Each structure stands twice: as structure tokens, then as C-alpha cells.
Amino acid sequence: MNILFLCTGNSCRSIIAEALLKSVAPAGITVQSAGSKPAGYVHPRALSALQKAGISIDSFHSKSWDTLSSQPDIIITLCADAAGETCPAYLGTMAVRSHWGMPDPAKAQGGESAIEAAFDNTLAVLHKKINALVKLLEQQPRMKPELLQNALDAIDNQFK
């Protein structure tokens, strides 16, 4: 099974989600992240938050969905609709899709501690969602697509 985390810039949220899931993914799960308009860099604060969580940051870079190594089975978008951000619609597959909308920590304002807190919060929320996803995939590795869709949406609703 191949899971894709998708955002417009692929510099913060989708990179954090990819790194978190790669660090705990069960055997047989591959993980990618991409963007419709990649920023061309990974935000330094996203890398710092991952390092503080003890996750290696060596292999992460901002990339386009045009360069994916394989077609995803699951696509999870992370853009925050409520913040006026338009999330891309990946059209290359019949994958199961879910939207885990989150504010972009790169747009956080305020002092140093407020900005760092935005990245830490993004990591914490994604950590909870990804742990729930891993548990789901371990307990029910061959869910029907419509049930998987509902379960992914429920994970998002549980950890907003």
C-alpha cells in the first residue's frame, strides 16, 4: 500500500506527515509526500520540529506530484480550507482520498515562541492522526475502499 500526503508547497505539513509515518509504518506500507506547486525547499522549522521529535531528516525534500515514484493507494490532503488555502486535487488515480485540513505553520505570526508552537502543534496533531492510521492499518489491512475512506475521515475528526 502506498500513501501520499499532499499539500500545495510540500514544505511543511506534508513533509512532517511523511516523516512521521515513515518512522512507524508497518511492513508493506510506502509513504510519499508531494505538492502541486512545490516550494523547492523544506521549511527549516519543519525540519527542526522533526529533529526535536527524534526523527531523521536526511531524505526529505520538496517535490512535485509529477515526480512520484508510484501511484498512491491513499491520498491525504493537508491544506486548511478554512484559512483560504486551496488544496490541490490529484487526478492521477482512483485512490482512496481523505482531507485532514490543518493550518499552515509557515504562515504563523507572532514572536519566536508562537511560531515554534505552531510547528510543534502541527507535529503533535499529525502524530496523533498517524498513530491512529497505523493502528487502523495493522488491525484491518484490507479494508474495502469506502470503509477506509470513512475511517480516514473519522481519524481527522477525532484529532482536530
Side-chain angles (χ1 to χ4, degrees):
M1 179 176 294
N2 184 9
I3 299 172
L4 170 64
F5 292 102
L6 187 62
C7 255
T8 304
N10 189 226
S11 66
C12 291
R13 294 161 290 185
S14 53
I15 295 284
I16 291 171
E18 177 188 14
L20 287 169
L21 184 52
K22 278 184 173 180
S23 74
V24 295
I29 302 292
T30 59
V31 186
Q32 302 178 88
S33 71
S36 58
K37 297 174 187 163
Y41 66 94
V42 178
H43 198 290
R45 291 181 188 268
L47 295 174
S48 176
L50 288 168
Q51 281 183 311
K52 283 194 311 188
I55 297 172
S56 173
I57 59 168
D58 293 338
S59 64
F60 298 102
H61 61 281
S62 179
K63 54 208 158 293
S64 171
W65 61 17
D66 295 328
T67 63
L68 294 175
S69 60
S70 59
Q71 290 289 319
D73 300 301
I74 297 172
I75 299 170
I76 300 173
T77 55
L78 298 165
C79 301
D81 292 334
E85 197 175 1
T86 303
C87 216
Y90 183 79
L91 304 174
T93 185
M94 297 299 292
V96 173
R97 299 165 192 261
S98 186
H99 180 68
W100 293 358
M102 301 183 68
D104 186 352
K107 294 181 180 176
Q109 297 182 353
E112 184 68 27
S113 62
I115 294 169
E116 185 175 337
F119 279 88
D120 290 345
N121 183 61
T122 297
L123 186 126
V125 171
L126 283 171
H127 188 262
K128 290 175 188 176
K129 290 180 181 189
I130 285 168
N131 283 341
L133 173 60
V134 168
K135 186 175 180 181
L136 171 71
L137 295 174
E138 288 175 338
Q139 291 175 347
Q140 300 179 44
R142 292 184 171 78
M143 290 181 80
K144 292 181 180 180
E146 61 275 3
L147 294 176
L148 180 56
Q149 167 83 54
N150 291 338
L152 291 169
D153 293 346
I155 289 170
D156 178 51
N157 290 328
Q158 182 179 1
F159 299 107
K160 286 208 178 238

